[in-house]
Amino acid sequence: MCENISLWCSYQTILFKAEQHPVYPCFAILTAFNPRSIVLNNPDNVKRNELLKIELQSMTNGVQTVITRAPDGSWQEVSFVAAVAQEQANRLACRWQQNAFYWVERGELYLVPALMDEVRAINLGEIKDFFYTE
């Protein structure tokens, strides 16, 4: 459980790099990288993410690639902004074996557990404070 709490805390310190800020009223940020936070090699992660992207594109036209990263740059992975319902996002996160996903609604960013039973969703603050463009 301590390991999961440590992961949960690390998920709360996050930045998203995108070509443009998402314009959807609510959306999920999902990835298929590193199932259950077990690090896979890059080809396996890329293959998993491509399959997730295809699945998301079949569900909605609102899919945008973003880089999810630690503020210090020590870790990053490709994720997708997807204009799907929160229930759909949760099912996808579980199916792709993700411990949690990010949810944005009314300009607020939430960290939502998917496979983690010992924690509850948490409001991280305004999404504008977590997104940047270059």
Side-chain angles (χ1 to χ4, degrees):
M1 182 163 144
C2 286
E3 182 180 328
N4 279 348
I5 297 302
S6 177
L7 281 172
W8 184 249
C9 291
S10 70
Y11 298 158
Q12 295 175 41
T13 308
I14 198 77
L15 290 174
F16 304 100
K17 178 183 167 191
E19 289 184 16
Q20 66 181 35
H21 289 270
V23 295
Y24 315 111
C26 56
F27 57 89
I29 302 171
L30 297 158
T31 188
F33 269 51
N34 302 326
R36 296 184 185 270
S37 289
I38 298 168
V39 178
L40 299 181
N41 63 47
N42 195 55
D44 287 345
N45 276 327
V46 169
K47 182 186 286 186
R48 288 174 55 84
N49 240 20
E50 281 303 312
L51 293 171
L52 172 60
K53 183 177 182 180
I54 290 166
E55 187 171 6
L56 288 169
Q57 288 172 330
S58 75
M59 298 169 72
T60 179
N61 289 330
V63 179
Q64 176 184 345
T65 301
V66 297
I67 302 297
T68 303
R69 64 181 288 267
D72 66 2
S74 62
W75 160 87
Q76 72 176 23
E77 63 189 34
V78 177
S79 300
F80 303 104
V81 166
V84 296
Q86 187 174 2
E87 297 77 25
Q88 289 175 302
N90 190 62
R91 281 193 299 275
L92 286 166
C94 288
R95 194 153 85 78
W96 289 98
Q97 300 175 305
Q98 299 300 300
N99 289 325
F101 65 96
Y102 297 95
W103 178 252
V104 177
E105 190 167 342
R106 292 193 272 290
E108 297 290 315
L109 176 66
Y110 297 87
L111 176 58
V112 181
L115 299 177
M116 302 175 84
D117 295 330
E118 64 275 11
V119 294
R120 299 208 185 282
I122 183 172
N123 182 328
L124 298 177
E126 294 183 43
I127 187 62
K128 67 179 180 59
D129 296 333
F130 296 87
F131 258 89
Y132 70 98
T133 58
E134 285 190 345

